[in-house]
Amino acid sequence: MTTVSVTAQEIREAVSMPEAIDAVRKGFIDLANGEFEMPTRTVLRDGQFLSMPAHHRPTRSAMIKTLSLNFERTPAITGTVVWSTLDRSDHLVADAGPVTTLRTGAVVGVATDLLAAPDASELTLIGAGGQAPDQVRAVHAVRPLSRLTVVDANAERARALAETLRAELNGTEVLTASDATTAVRDAQIVCCATTATSPLFPESALPAQVHVNAIGAFRPTMRELPDELLANSTVVIDELEAILEESGEIIHALEAGAITRDDLTELGSALIARPANLGKRTVFKSVGVAVQDWAIARLLADKFLC
């Protein structure tokens, strides 16, 4: 048996964001078609340790990711992704940090491509932490950006991220801000990537037409979006069982009667049959599911297991 280890740098060099978006899109379509065995992830210590397995029946392959999360350390996300298949004895072990940020960005790219206005080019990003750069890269891959506003309570962190992204986004105006409510007023796309426990902005602050991605809140005690936004938008989610167990926004809105389960459309289903009731406001809510990690791990296996 051979075990091939893949470092963070090797992952970044091997997988482009457009490749990741395409792989994650195909993964969610397969999920909707029943081609995955994917139990809800195991959560320990209120989300500080996570274990996420997935088995793809057609390829006889499996992936398991284990993570530890501590947002007071750098990096906040550490762990491993292990890939194996029944057809060979080789295994791949990859650094889970870049896999997680890459796949989380990729699913936002998939959802933005599906739900945002075709000409949307102005993004407000709320949160300048570890997930933030790939959120922007993914949106830019499907909706080339004319303007980016980075919002964070820590002005130095916002400026640092803005400088990093400015070097990547040729021709894009890159700004910083500290107040989310003001920064979303003329946004065409909003990405939320924070550890907030209460909504980041009121619904009334948003323009009439906008697409909102929310990936930061992954526990029932966390919330980034207000109930009113969910009630008055087309809401697409990554996977229903995981959302009902882990998404603070969706749980709160359901309990408040602002939405019902029938208002939630899974991403795979939406990719197969575009929702007919798309309104001017759309929301994608993700807590992250193992099919995303499997999709990136498969790309790595194709490149590194010869």
Side-chain angles (χ1 to χ4, degrees):
M1 181 185 77
T2 301
T3 299
V4 176
S5 296
V6 186
T7 67
Q9 181 176 343
E10 288 172 327
I11 293 167
R12 288 295 180 181
E13 291 174 351
V15 180
S16 70
M17 183 57 76
E19 279 183 301
I21 290 170
D22 188 49
V24 168
R25 181 185 291 112
K26 291 175 181 175
F28 272 95
I29 291 171
D30 281 1
L31 179 65
N33 286 328
E35 295 181 353
F36 275 94
E37 183 181 0
M38 190 182 73
T40 302
R41 64 185 166 202
T42 300
V43 177
L44 304 173
R45 196 178 169 87
D46 193 30
Q48 290 189 293
F49 295 99
L50 304 174
S51 178
M52 304 171 64
H55 162 228
H56 186 238
R57 295 184 181 92
T59 58
R60 292 158 51 93
S61 62
M63 180 284 315
I64 184 165
K65 181 172 79 171
T66 59
L67 290 182
S68 72
L69 289 84
N70 181 353
F71 293 102
E72 295 180 358
R73 77 179 179 205
T74 302
I77 300 172
T78 62
T80 58
V81 171
V82 180
W83 164 276
S84 60
T85 174
L86 294 178
D87 298 326
R88 57 189 300 168
S89 60
D90 302 36
H91 288 65
L92 180 138
V93 179
D95 186 327
V99 170
T100 300
T101 56
L102 185 60
R103 61 80 142 159
T104 306
V107 77
V108 162
V110 173
T112 301
D113 196 29
L114 176 70
L115 299 170
D119 60 349
S121 67
E122 298 180 0
L123 168 64
T124 293
L125 168 71
I126 306 175
Q131 296 278 5
D134 280 324
Q135 296 292 293
V136 176
R137 292 168 185 143
V139 172
H140 186 61
V142 298
R143 295 291 187 275
L145 295 174
S146 62
R147 187 180 71 195
L148 165 66
T149 303
V150 179
V151 183
D152 198 280
N154 184 323
E156 183 177 343
R157 188 164 71 165
R159 284 194 296 269
L161 178 59
E163 285 302 309
T164 296
L165 293 171
R166 189 175 286 116
E168 297 182 26
L169 305 176
N170 292 329
T172 302
E173 181 184 15
V174 181
L175 310 171
T176 62
S178 59
D179 180 62
T181 298
T182 301
V184 301
R185 290 197 184 279
D186 56 357
Q188 295 170 322
I189 304 168
V190 176
C191 286
C192 305
T194 75
T195 57
T197 55
S198 60
L200 297 168
F201 48 80
E203 183 206 18
S204 60
L206 292 166
Q209 181 167 355
V210 66
H211 171 63
V212 179
N213 299 299
I215 60 93
F218 64 97
R219 298 297 297 142
T221 53
M222 303 167 74
R223 290 175 67 203
E224 294 183 304
L225 307 180
D227 291 347
E228 295 82 5
L229 174 60
L230 297 171
N232 296 312
S233 302
T234 299
V235 181
V236 175
I237 58 172
D238 48 14
E239 197 267 335
L240 183 61
E241 186 176 353
I243 285 289
L244 294 178
E245 184 169 323
E246 298 178 342
S247 170
E249 295 101 334
I250 299 299
I251 292 169
H252 190 279
L254 287 169
E255 291 178 347
I259 61 172
T260 69
R261 290 192 187 190
D262 290 340
D263 295 318
L264 307 174
T265 302
E266 290 186 328
L267 179 58
S269 298
L271 290 167
I272 293 170
R274 183 180 173 88
N277 60 338
L278 281 181
K280 290 190 174 181
R281 287 182 176 174
T282 55
V283 170
F284 174 62
K285 173 59 198 169
S286 174
V287 293
V289 291
V291 63
Q292 298 164 241
D293 303 290
W294 174 90
I296 304 302
R298 184 182 184 183
L299 286 176
L300 294 172
D302 288 345
K303 294 171 185 286
F304 288 94
L305 294 183
C306 299

